[in-house]
Amino acid sequence: MSLPESHRPSRRLLALQKLMVLATSRSGSVQDVGTTRKITRFMESRQRRVRGVQETTGAVAGVPVRWFRPARADAGLIFHVHGGAFVAGSSLAARAHSGLARHHGVELVSVDYRLAPEHPFPAALDDVWAVYAEVARDRPTVIVGESAGGGLAMSLVRRVLDRGGKAPKGLVTMFPWADLTNSSDSFTRNEHRDLLSREGLSRSALAYAADCDLRTPLVSPLYGSFADFPPTLIVVGTRDCLLDDSRTVSARMRADGVDATLVEIAGGFHGFILLPAPESKVARRRISTFVGTALDHK
């Protein structure tokens, strides 16, 4: 399902798009780790935890994590995987999703997995797997990830299944980076309309994959199997350079028998859901409804 292309983006979204693209261009585009980390920190600084949810930090299986706990929580769990092109980002991004924890009365945990190039593949996957294996045991869980975290979330589900684990109740991927070869046409179509660049992401991809082939399924889940995946919601904007990643993933999931829903937000650029725009609210409502259905909550 997608919003029709004729739907006109809001003025707020268009203004934010211009601001983000301008900020990126003045930084020389996202071409190196330092710039990527700077822009990601800015995006995270805009996030605020909702009232009624306690935020704490700690460690699980030796991996730093950030917890968001409502006053009353049942056994359900939202497992968050942040973005940042595998070279940046932190669990602070999960503040944007703390409303899910409050609304559905469940805990949310976000993982500060190790980053490339200091810690290339499979360090990030090993970290999210170690935490997931500990905290999601015997708990109804929905995995939520954005950008690189969306791709990493898919790799996590694949590892869980391949190692004989039980699939989560649901998977939410927002503008996922699922193909680290960056060969899709949407990079060309959305050039100058998005804050991403093929050159910048390609540098991050090489930093993350190190000596691995970029088509290794656990590096680029687009090249792997989606058999036995749980119901999945994919949210992406039509002006995102990773638009084709989402479209291709949703098609391949359906071919593998997965109940996959693709929601395309007209005018949405990469990371739009983390910024204050009407389209973000629409996307958040869709995500909340999906999470509630997956966990059998309100």
Side-chain angles (χ1 to χ4, degrees):
M1 176 181 179
S2 64
L3 292 179
E5 189 63 38
S6 59
H7 173 79
R8 183 173 177 80
S10 67
R11 291 182 179 179
R12 173 64 67 85
L13 184 65
L14 292 173
L16 288 169
Q17 177 192 19
K18 291 180 180 179
L19 175 64
M20 294 303 298
V21 171
L22 178 61
T24 301
S25 63
R26 285 182 173 177
S27 298
S29 79
V30 187
Q31 297 182 2
D32 56 57
V33 172
T35 304
T36 302
R37 289 176 175 173
K38 178 181 178 181
I39 292 175
T40 304
R41 282 195 299 269
F42 170 77
M43 295 286 282
E44 291 179 346
S45 72
R46 308 292 296 176
Q47 310 313 312
R48 296 292 182 269
R49 170 178 50 86
V50 300
R51 294 181 179 179
V53 175
Q54 182 184 29
E55 177 181 343
T56 60
T57 57
V60 174
V63 180
V65 299
R66 188 176 302 268
W67 288 95
F68 297 85
R69 295 182 171 99
R72 295 183 180 180
D74 65 16
L77 176 70
I78 297 171
F79 188 93
H80 176 255
V81 188
H82 71 77
F86 296 108
V87 301
S90 76
S91 60
L92 286 173
R95 289 175 176 171
H97 310 299
S98 57
L100 288 174
R102 185 181 67 180
H103 182 73
H104 296 291
V106 297
E107 293 182 335
L108 185 153
V109 64
S110 184
V111 185
D112 277 308
Y113 55 85
R114 287 170 290 173
L115 302 175
E118 296 87 351
H119 304 284
F121 176 84
L125 180 57
D126 287 345
D127 286 352
V128 294
W129 158 253
V131 177
Y132 183 89
E134 187 71 27
V135 303
R137 186 183 307 157
D138 301 321
R139 298 182 71 175
T141 302
V142 173
I143 300 178
V144 175
E146 63 257 347
S147 192
L152 186 55
M154 295 181 207
S155 297
L156 173 60
V157 173
R158 186 72 266 158
R159 176 175 280 192
V160 169
L161 294 171
D162 288 348
R163 296 194 176 184
K166 186 177 180 180
K169 293 290 186 179
L171 170 65
V172 177
T173 64
M174 293 163 274
F175 31 88
W177 190 19
D179 179 8
L180 272 65
T181 70
N182 300 320
S183 55
S184 68
D185 291 339
S186 54
F187 275 97
T188 301
R189 295 197 311 274
N190 286 326
E191 186 179 10
H192 307 308
R193 301 203 300 177
D194 194 19
L195 60 155
L196 296 180
S197 72
R198 194 196 302 267
E199 181 180 2
L201 276 190
S202 293
R203 292 192 183 190
S204 295
L206 292 175
Y208 175 64
D211 296 330
C212 291
D213 189 318
L214 291 174
R215 291 178 173 82
T216 301
L218 289 180
V219 172
S220 294
L222 185 65
Y223 298 98
S225 169
F226 295 105
D228 301 317
F229 264 52
T232 299
L233 175 66
I234 305 170
V235 179
V236 69
T238 60
R239 296 185 180 181
D240 196 319
C241 282
L242 297 180
L243 173 61
D244 286 352
D245 280 34
S246 293
R247 290 176 171 175
T248 307
V249 163
S250 65
R252 294 190 179 178
M253 281 187 169
R254 294 187 191 110
D256 281 345
V258 180
D259 178 9
T261 301
L262 173 64
V263 175
E264 295 184 7
I265 302 297
F269 54 93
H270 195 73
F272 77 95
I273 199 170
L274 301 178
L275 297 172
E279 288 82 357
S280 301
K281 294 181 180 178
V282 170
R284 290 177 188 277
R285 284 196 295 267
R286 290 299 303 269
I287 292 170
S288 183
T289 298
F290 177 88
V291 170
T293 299
L295 294 174
D296 293 326
H297 288 171
K298 60 179 178 294

